[in-house]
Amino acid sequence: MTTIDLNADLGEGFGRWTLGDDDALLDVVTSANVACGFHAGDPAGLLRVVDAAHRRGVVVGAHVSYRDLVGFGRRYVEASHDELVADVVWQVGALTGLSRAVGASVRYLKPHGALYSVVADADGRGTVHAGAVIEAVLRVDPSLPVVGLAGSAFLRRAEREGLHVVAEAFADRAYDATGALVPRSRPGAVLHDAGEIRDRVLQLVETGTVRAVDGTVVELRADTVCVHGDSPDAVAIAVGVRSALEEARVDLRPFVTVPQAASTVPAPATPHAPGATTR
């Protein structure tokens, strides 16, 4: 039986502003790329997301970004190597703390937005930033898998440096003939037709290929498929993709071991009165 992981970007609201339906998507996906506060996400909202994911047995990953809250992490940031290492370490640490508060843990790392696209070109424009992301993972936890664009130089470099890599494809993004994602600034870069998306994912999972915008059939071997959660029809698309995969007898499971879900959220410690001593 063919096996695939289904992931989505979650926790991308901020305060009173919400984006997507995290709870509905958590009933569909097997892995959750959770924002870490740099492109989206506030502490209270992120705590709710990691708790909801953990209760459902959905694996939590750190969705790290450039420091670009206003631009939703979709703008390039001219960060130095050392600055980006620290930014990534900070984000993983923040999500790790929130996850531990509900009995969960961060099980992988995936760059977001512009950072994802830049580091994919690890042999070119993204050399410095790809190295920074890899160094950050090596410093935090060398056993932490990293998710990146299938076939990218980033994954090849990360693997050479001893990291466990996870190749990703996108259900709702267009590809060019080289296997790269069509930039969001171009027409047709993001797909919206549920039937087309469903058929593309089935072709990808069953044959390891995807049709590019020029009609070329591109070989694309992936361990996980991303369904974006920030479009109005995201839930319907995700449900359709999952249903089609199940009908095709594809086994949906995370690419890492599912942690045991907590039955309840740990109760907060009782605060001590001012001046009281602890033992």
Side-chain angles (χ1 to χ4, degrees), residues 15 23 46 60 67 80 82-83 99 103-104 111-112 129 139 146-147 151 156 158-159 166 172 198-199 216 221 266:
D23 283 329
L46 297 178
V60 171
R67 191 189 295 265
S80 70
D82 289 348
E83 288 170 339
S99 298
H112 163 81
H129 287 183
R139 287 192 180 197
V146 291
V147 176
R156 293 193 295 272
E159 191 168 36
V166 180
D172 52 3
R198 181 188 63 240
D199 293 343
T216 304
R221 303 289 176 177

Side-chain angles (χ1 to χ4, degrees), residues 86-192:
D87 280 355
V88 173
V89 170
W90 178 285
Q91 291 175 80
V92 175
L95 194 66
T96 295
L98 292 170
S99 298
R100 287 179 177 173
V102 299
S105 59
V106 173
R107 309 302 300 280
Y108 66 92
L109 178 145
K110 174 185 168 181
H112 163 81
L115 181 60
Y116 185 99
S117 298
V118 169
V119 301
D121 184 22
D123 294 336
R125 177 194 181 200
T127 298
V128 173
H129 287 183
V133 171
I134 291 169
E135 181 178 327
V137 176
L138 289 171
R139 287 192 180 197
V140 171
D141 182 358
S143 69
L144 200 66
V146 291
V147 176
L149 186 65
S152 67
F154 173 64
L155 291 189
R156 293 193 295 272
R157 178 171 174 181
E159 191 168 36
R160 286 197 304 270
E161 299 196 29
L163 295 180
H164 173 64
V165 300
V166 180
E168 180 179 45
F170 289 83
D172 52 3
R173 290 293 306 276
Y175 287 84
D176 66 21
T178 70
L181 296 175
V182 175
R184 282 181 174 267
S185 57
R186 297 182 186 174
V190 180
L191 309 178
H192 299 284

